[in-house]
Amino acid sequence: WDEIENINEDSKEFPEYWSDSREIFIKAIKETLPEIYEKYGFFMEAPFSITLKGQSGADRIKEIMAEFRTAKPETLGGIKVSSVTDFKEGAVIEGLRLDSSDVLRFELEDESRVTVRPSGTEPKIKFYISCCEKPGMPLAEAAENVQSRCASIRGDLETLLG
């Protein structure tokens, strides 16, 4: 909720024409989001990236991608990896044909997901951790579980990277 509380008239997250309605907006979000989370589940994205500069960094990024392709992790965050999608040769996801891209996606048994790709514009390798908690759990407990799971997955990724 800190992000919601910190919205102010000057922030780009809050449209200027709503500045008089800030308190109403915040109250509506605080009342509505828990209902949405309880009905559909709690979702969290935890992206992070590692900067590896220079030619040696670019080489290391290629090595990391190759290592993830050849030595796929069996678990991440203590959760079994159920499938891996390599977009290098293109892929079909939910009936949609996707072009070739240097991207790997690891699906975990609990429906969490980790996507790994090199940046196209910076000397970085990027990791996108997506976790969710199914509907029905109290919001505070669901948020804590998901945050813990994301942190555990990130810890395993950082260990794998050395």
Side-chain angles (χ1 to χ4, degrees):
W1 299 118
D2 291 341
E3 294 86 8
I4 294 169
E5 291 291 349
N6 292 328
I7 293 174
N8 63 48
E9 294 82 9
D10 298 328
S11 75
K12 58 185 168 189
E13 292 88 7
F14 199 80
E16 184 178 325
Y17 54 86
W18 280 8
S19 61
D20 294 336
S21 306
R22 179 179 181 273
E23 295 305 316
I24 295 168
F25 177 76
I26 290 170
K27 183 179 180 197
I29 289 174
K30 284 186 171 183
E31 290 175 358
T32 306
L33 277 179
E35 293 172 15
I36 293 169
Y37 293 146
E38 287 184 21
K39 183 173 182 179
Y40 298 103
F42 184 84
F43 294 79
M44 181 177 172
E45 299 288 322
F48 74 99
S49 60
I50 297 172
T51 301
L52 299 163
K53 294 183 178 180
Q55 185 58 50
S56 63
D59 293 342
R60 179 65 184 129
I61 290 170
K62 288 178 186 174
E63 288 172 12
I64 291 169
M65 292 302 293
E67 288 168 7
F68 274 120
R69 283 188 168 92
T70 57
K72 298 173 179 100
E74 292 183 23
T75 63
L76 289 169
I79 306 159
K80 186 176 184 217
V81 175
S82 56
S83 68
V84 179
T85 304
D86 188 343
F87 293 83
K88 193 150 187 112
E89 302 301 323
V92 177
I93 305 293
E94 297 177 11
L96 181 63
R97 176 87 182 133
L98 302 173
D99 291 336
S100 173
S101 187
D102 192 8
V103 176
L104 289 166
R105 185 171 75 183
F106 300 90
E107 299 281 347
L108 309 185
E109 274 189 343
D110 72 343
E111 298 182 21
S112 294
R113 174 183 295 168
V114 176
T115 305
V116 182
R117 71 174 183 85
S119 171
T121 58
E122 302 173 289
K124 294 181 178 183
I125 185 161
K126 298 184 175 192
F127 299 85
Y128 303 89
I129 302 168
S130 306
C131 296
C132 66
E133 192 64 62
K134 294 186 179 178
M137 184 177 289
L139 176 58
E141 185 179 347
E144 185 177 320
N145 287 350
V146 169
Q147 288 171 345
S148 175
R149 195 172 318 133
C150 285
S152 182
I153 291 169
R154 180 176 177 157
D156 277 2
L157 289 167
E158 288 173 341
T159 298
L160 288 169
L161 295 170

